[in-house]
Amino acid sequence: MINKILVSACLVGFKVRYDGSDKAQMTDQLQRWQKEQRLVIHCPELAAGLPIPRPPAEIVSTDGKDVMKAQIRILEITGQDVTEHYQLAAWLALRTARESGCTAALLTDGSPTCGSQFIYDGSFSGQRKSGMGVAASLLTEHGIAVFSENRLADLIAWVDEKER
C-alpha cells in the first residue's frame, strides 16, 4: 500500500504563509513522491478562509490540543481572537487527510496550525516553545503521523518502514 502524505502547501512553494511567503522544501524525495501522486497539498489556514497576507497569530499559553478543547485562544498580533478560524483549519486538515487516505503529514513548524515540534509562545516576541499547533495536534490525535519539515529524513524512514 502506498502511504499518502498531507503536505503544507507552503512547503511545496505556494505563497500562502501569513506574510504571503512560502517555505519551499521541494527535495528530490518530495518531487518523487509528488510524481507518484502520494502528496496531498493543503493549507489549512487558507482552506478555513483566512486571507493572505494576514496578521501573525499565536497560541496564548499552552498548545493546539488545548485550543481544540476550547480552553485556550489564538490571537492575532492586533489582539483579534481568531480561535474559531484556526479550529476550523484543523478540522479541514483532518477531513482532507482522511478523505485522501493520508497516513502521515509533513507540516510547517512554528505555525499555530501546523507546528509539530515548536510553536511561538503567544507574546509575539519571537520566543519559541515546545508544542503543537491545532492541526498537528488533531491529526496526531486521530492516528496520522505528523512530521515537521526539519524531520523529512524521519518521514522518509517512516514511509520506508511502513511499506516494507
Side-chain angles (χ1 to χ4, degrees):
M1 179 180 126
I2 286 182
N3 286 277
K4 288 200 167 188
I5 303 156
L6 185 75
V7 179
S8 292
C10 62
L11 293 177
V12 294
F14 289 92
K15 296 183 181 310
V16 294
R17 296 186 72 225
Y18 75 95
D19 60 0
S21 68
D22 65 38
K23 269 184 109 172
Q25 300 277 325
M26 277 307 275
T27 64
D28 290 342
Q29 182 66 54
L30 288 180
Q31 289 175 1
R32 193 167 25 263
W33 283 344
Q34 189 170 26
K35 286 178 188 169
E36 294 170 0
Q37 299 182 347
R38 290 176 184 258
L39 302 186
V40 176
I41 299 166
H42 180 76
C43 174
E45 295 168 2
L46 195 58
L50 290 166
I52 304 166
R54 56 191 168 272
E58 295 185 6
I59 297 172
V60 177
S61 193
T62 59
D63 67 12
K65 189 174 186 178
D66 288 335
V67 173
M68 294 309 292
K69 292 178 185 175
Q71 296 173 339
I72 299 296
R73 312 304 292 163
I74 297 179
L75 301 177
E76 291 179 339
I77 197 167
T78 62
Q80 173 88 20
D81 186 332
V82 289
T83 304
E84 290 179 3
H85 290 288
Y86 283 83
Q87 289 169 325
L88 175 60
W91 286 110
L92 291 172
L94 179 61
R95 184 178 78 186
T96 298
R98 282 181 163 169
E99 288 177 355
S100 303
C102 295
T103 55
L106 180 65
L107 305 177
T108 306
D109 232 350
S111 161
T113 306
C114 295
S116 62
Q117 293 185 297
F118 75 88
I119 55 176
Y120 291 92
D121 72 358
S123 68
F124 297 96
S125 64
Q127 294 298 312
R128 300 182 195 189
K129 64 179 181 177
S130 293
M132 292 184 137
V134 290
S137 177
L138 191 63
L139 290 166
T140 299
E141 188 177 311
H142 285 86
I144 295 169
V146 175
F147 299 84
S148 77
E149 76 273 20
N150 300 317
R151 292 186 53 224
L152 180 57
D154 293 338
L155 173 58
I156 293 166
W158 183 90
V159 168
D160 287 347
E161 177 67 27
K162 287 280 189 187
E163 293 181 2
R164 268 194 212 132

